[in-house]
Amino acid sequence: MKIQKKTLINLFRSVATIVLSEEKIIKHYHEDNMKTPMHMSMGDENCVSGVVESFKGESFFFGYYRTHSLYLSVTNNMYQFFAELHGRVTGSNAGVAGSMHMTSPDDNLLVNSAIVASTIPLSLGAALSCLKLKNNKYSVVFFGDGAIEEGVFHEAMNMSSLMKLPVVFVCLDNGLAVDIEPNDRQGFKSIKRIVESYDCKYFHSANAAATDIYKISEKAKAFIIEDQKPVFIHLEYYRYLQHIGTNNDFEDSEHIRLLSKYKESGVGFEKKNYRSKDEYKKYLNNKPLNLIRRSARELGLLEDEMEQEIINIKLQIDVDFSRALKDKRPEKKDLFKGLF
Amino acid sequence: MKIISYKDAIKEAIQEEMENDPTVFVIGGETKMFGSLNGIEDKFGKSRVITTPISEDATTGLVLGAAMTGLRPIQVHIRVDFMLLAVNQIINMISSAIYSSNGNLKVPLLIRAVVGRGWGQGFQHSKSLHGLFAQIPGLKVIMPTSPKDAKGMIKSAIRSDGPVICIENRWLYWQEGEIPEEDYTVDLNLPECLRKGSDLTIVASSWMNVEAKLASEILCNEHGIQVAIFDIKSTDLTNFEEIFNSVNVTGKCIVADNDWLVSGLSGEIAFHIQKNCFRSLDLPIERIGFEQVPCPTARELEEVFYPNAFDIVRKSEDMLGLKSCSLESYELYSHETRFKGPF
């Protein structure tokens, strides 16, 4: 399958936007202007960008608390992204949602939830709307591998299969639930076997570039159209940072060092050094931007074109971040806005 | 006007709304709902009356996802107790869906749930829990008592753009009453005065309105006492002006809730009235509700567990300084003659 140049640029731009936006966050998080718990996406950028590029414009999207990749790849709106992280009224959700819940209903990114597996059944309802109202074709939901341990995952797999709903289950598997490995929480050996037992088509990749994941997503899409059944895309990736926060597992970041004077600052929420440093170093060479850059180059995108993209994105990030920081904060009267 | 049962009033509401709006559909593990959906599946087919696997949690999530993408789902539970399997979806997801989008999402969904009672329903078929859901911002909880309100409030709920939970007492299903022939709706948050009186105010929810009515007749016959009764109809306490006016006249108030009292809606109502009528109250506000135990099965224990009209009479006599009248000639409501179980 040949990837069009426009798609290649979109994929590269999406990954680069997420990577560079998160680098901006890391640089400024310690300044304490972004008062929101952040589950950084660093590592899943290729996975999310590949799936979104394939399904965007004809799908409803749902995600979980690691929202940055999904929000930016669906909306490409860095200004509202940074404004939301700063709790400003100009943010994607007017400052109500923060990092864990930012959405964009106008772009059909409907709900991101901090409760593991809780948006999975929502995707079934949106898929039902697709069938009944023809207002979209697919309903795509992202979740971590820990979600498979929740009961509602199995209820949703059963119902989507039974009701033949056009749901795309996307499992972003970093092999960790906070800092707990699969062996300590999973009595099953194969996600594939679980998925297939629900008569659901299974697709898989590990540490792939967005271009490859785009191709897998296109195959999955064709399967839904042909067989009118849900599909499951299992994407393994390496999570570069801690479960929450902007530092890695091995050393204290500037943020943590600055916060450590506060006793209850969240320092020590998860263990340190629970992963192999050698493995971390191995993945450092394969960082998300390198992954997509290599692949895009092989597929025909020129180095100069990619460099120019990066320059443009960095400039835009600086402009949007500064603008968001200066934006208006919510007022007391805003507390009841949007309450039913 | 026409006479109709509560159960048929619900059916009419849903049937009419489904006729008028193709996005309305019913979904649940059991979709007969004690006759309140009679003929709906035959008329609209399985695609609009969807029977699900026994998966309350996922179904509630599905309903939320459907509501925010253009459909108007009505989820049904034959017992409130079963709805507890979906509490994560209701409290963590549904309640905050509109608010978290800064008001940009619409979530038009109705969850109907039946409260069981009698013939040994026991501790997992009898909860009401409206007070539990009343505490959560972003949800509306309604408890229609009359057929007129059942139809009118369910229609309002289906047409509203936010989540509504409708708690329906099983015993009310047989109650009959007048409803308008023409299309009508009833507000989701307006209490109604069911009886005027100047001696005592009773503020009641759901089935307790039926008990309060019988109690008011006994008090009138035996003591010449005139009791005002207000049906709260929902857990929304923002439109209590008429109730405050009544308590300001009577100086005495009983809150009769079809639920446990501890940390419940009755306490909230009592506080609300006390705060607004403090200088008019002759006595502390009294409350009547379930005994603070899980609902037992054995008849003798069940009768102690549930409050009834006689309890209201005795409490009223205490508050009014009256001697206890004889209740021998009065009969409590019972559906024994038509309801022999098993469900």
Side-chain angles (χ1 to χ4, degrees), chain B residues 307-342:
Chain B
N308 59 38
F310 293 173
D311 297 318
I312 296 174
V313 170
R314 293 297 181 229
K315 183 77 80 182
S316 305
E317 289 170 338
D318 272 358
M319 291 178 82
L320 292 159
L322 302 167
K323 283 188 179 170
S324 300
C325 65
S326 167
L327 295 169
E328 276 179 16
S329 58
Y330 296 100
E331 258 187 66
L332 287 169
Y333 280 100
S334 166
H335 287 287
E336 279 298 294
T337 51
R338 65 175 105 198
F339 182 58
K340 295 280 184 200

Side-chain angles (χ1 to χ4, degrees), chain B residues 134-195:
Chain B
Q135 207 201 4
I136 309 301
L139 300 174
K140 286 195 196 302
V141 184
I142 59 171
M143 296 168 282
T145 306
S146 67
K148 178 169 142 276
D149 286 344
K151 182 171 178 181
M153 293 178 86
I154 282 176
K155 274 176 162 267
S156 288
I158 293 169
R159 293 179 197 182
S160 97
D161 285 331
V164 180
I165 295 173
C166 182
I167 308 281
E168 303 162 9
N169 193 290
R170 177 79 174 92
W171 276 19
L172 290 170
Y173 271 45
W174 296 293
Q175 298 294 112
E176 292 189 334
E178 280 192 334
I179 67 164
E181 299 272 358
E182 67 280 5
D183 183 40
Y184 72 98
T185 57
V186 174
D187 284 343
L188 295 176
N189 58 356
L190 274 185
E192 184 179 345
C193 180
L194 303 185
R195 190 182 194 282

Side-chain angles (χ1 to χ4, degrees), chain A residues 340, chain B residues 6 9-18 21 23-31 33 36-37 40 48 50 56 59-68 70-78 83 86 90 94-95 98 106-114 133 138-144 149-168 173 186 188 233-234:
Chain A
F340 173 63
Chain B
Y6 187 93
I10 295 172
K11 193 203 88 171
E12 277 197 12
I14 290 172
Q15 182 169 317
E16 287 171 19
E17 291 307 298
M18 287 178 78
D21 184 347
T23 66
V24 179
F25 71 98
V26 175
I27 185 165
E30 199 278 355
T31 50
M33 286 291 278
S36 67
L37 292 171
I40 301 276
R48 289 184 72 191
I50 301 171
E56 291 86 354
T59 303
T60 308
L62 182 154
V63 158
L64 174 58
M68 61 177 57
L71 296 171
R72 288 186 179 268
I74 303 169
Q75 188 183 5
V76 292
H77 296 279
I78 46 174
M83 189 163 71
I90 295 171
I94 290 176
S95 70
I98 300 175
K106 288 180 180 174
V107 182
L109 66 88
L110 168 63
I111 302 175
R112 291 179 52 207
V114 177
F133 296 106
L139 300 174
K140 286 195 196 302
V141 184
I142 59 171
M143 296 168 282
D149 286 344
K151 182 171 178 181
M153 293 178 86
I154 282 176
K155 274 176 162 267
S156 288
I158 293 169
R159 293 179 197 182
S160 97
D161 285 331
V164 180
I165 295 173
C166 182
I167 308 281
E168 303 162 9
Y173 271 45
V186 174
L188 295 176
K233 295 192 189 179
S234 79

Side-chain angles (χ1 to χ4, degrees), chain A residues 60 62 89 92-94 96-97 101 103 105-106 110-113 115-130 132-133 135 151-152 155-156 158-159 162-163 165 334-340, chain B residues 23 25 27 47-48 50-71 88-89 92-93 95 97-105 137-140 160-164 188:
Chain A
F60 295 113
F62 298 88
V89 291
S92 57
N93 304 57
V96 171
H101 305 289
T103 55
D106 287 346
L110 298 177
V111 183
N112 282 312
S113 170
I115 312 295
V116 172
S118 61
T119 53
I120 294 176
L122 272 64
S123 69
L124 274 61
L128 188 66
S129 287
C130 293
K132 281 179 176 284
L133 304 176
N135 52 3
V152 76
E155 290 187 9
N158 178 44
M159 284 179 74
L162 185 74
M163 296 170 76
L165 297 172
D334 295 327
L335 183 65
F336 292 97
K337 200 179 167 201
L339 184 69
F340 173 63
Chain B
T23 66
F25 71 98
I27 185 165
S47 69
R48 289 184 72 191
I50 301 171
T51 304
T52 66
I54 315 297
S55 304
E56 291 86 354
D57 190 0
T59 303
T60 308
L62 182 154
V63 158
L64 174 58
M68 61 177 57
T69 52
L71 296 171
N88 173 56
Q89 284 298 331
N92 274 325
M93 306 295 287
S95 70
I98 300 175
Y99 188 75
S100 67
S101 72
N102 196 31
N104 289 319
L105 280 176
L139 300 174
K140 286 195 196 302
S160 97
D161 285 331
V164 180
L188 295 176

Side-chain angles (χ1 to χ4, degrees), chain A residues 284-299:
Chain A
L284 271 184
N285 296 329
N286 211 16
K287 277 188 114 172
L289 204 49
N290 298 344
L291 256 182
I292 184 66
R293 190 191 284 262
R294 272 200 302 272
S295 175
R297 193 190 301 126
E298 281 168 18
L299 293 168

Side-chain angles (χ1 to χ4, degrees), chain B residues 156-280:
Chain B
S156 288
I158 293 169
R159 293 179 197 182
S160 97
D161 285 331
V164 180
I165 295 173
C166 182
I167 308 281
E168 303 162 9
N169 193 290
R170 177 79 174 92
W171 276 19
L172 290 170
Y173 271 45
W174 296 293
Q175 298 294 112
E176 292 189 334
E178 280 192 334
I179 67 164
E181 299 272 358
E182 67 280 5
D183 183 40
Y184 72 98
T185 57
V186 174
D187 284 343
L188 295 176
N189 58 356
L190 274 185
E192 184 179 345
C193 180
L194 303 185
R195 190 182 194 282
K196 289 189 174 167
S198 54
D199 297 314
L200 171 71
T201 306
I202 297 177
V203 180
S205 68
S206 187
W207 178 259
M208 288 313 291
N209 283 289
V210 180
E211 301 288 351
K213 268 190 173 172
L214 175 58
S216 70
E217 286 159 20
I218 298 172
L219 287 163
C220 182
N221 294 344
E222 302 296 323
H223 297 293
I225 292 298
Q226 295 302 329
V227 175
I229 301 173
F230 287 88
D231 179 0
I232 58 169
K233 295 192 189 179
S234 79
T235 60
D236 187 328
L237 311 186
T238 52
N239 295 297
F240 264 40
E241 280 311 312
E242 245 196 291
I243 295 173
F244 299 152
N245 292 341
S246 170
V247 175
N248 283 335
V249 171
T250 62
K252 298 169 190 68
C253 180
I254 295 173
V255 181
D257 195 16
N258 197 64
D259 201 354
W260 287 295
L261 298 179
V262 176
S263 299
L265 184 68
S266 63
E268 189 66 23
I269 292 171
F271 170 76
H272 198 48
I273 295 171
Q274 182 240 47
K275 191 166 169 59
N276 285 278
C277 306
F278 187 66
R279 289 177 204 290
S280 309

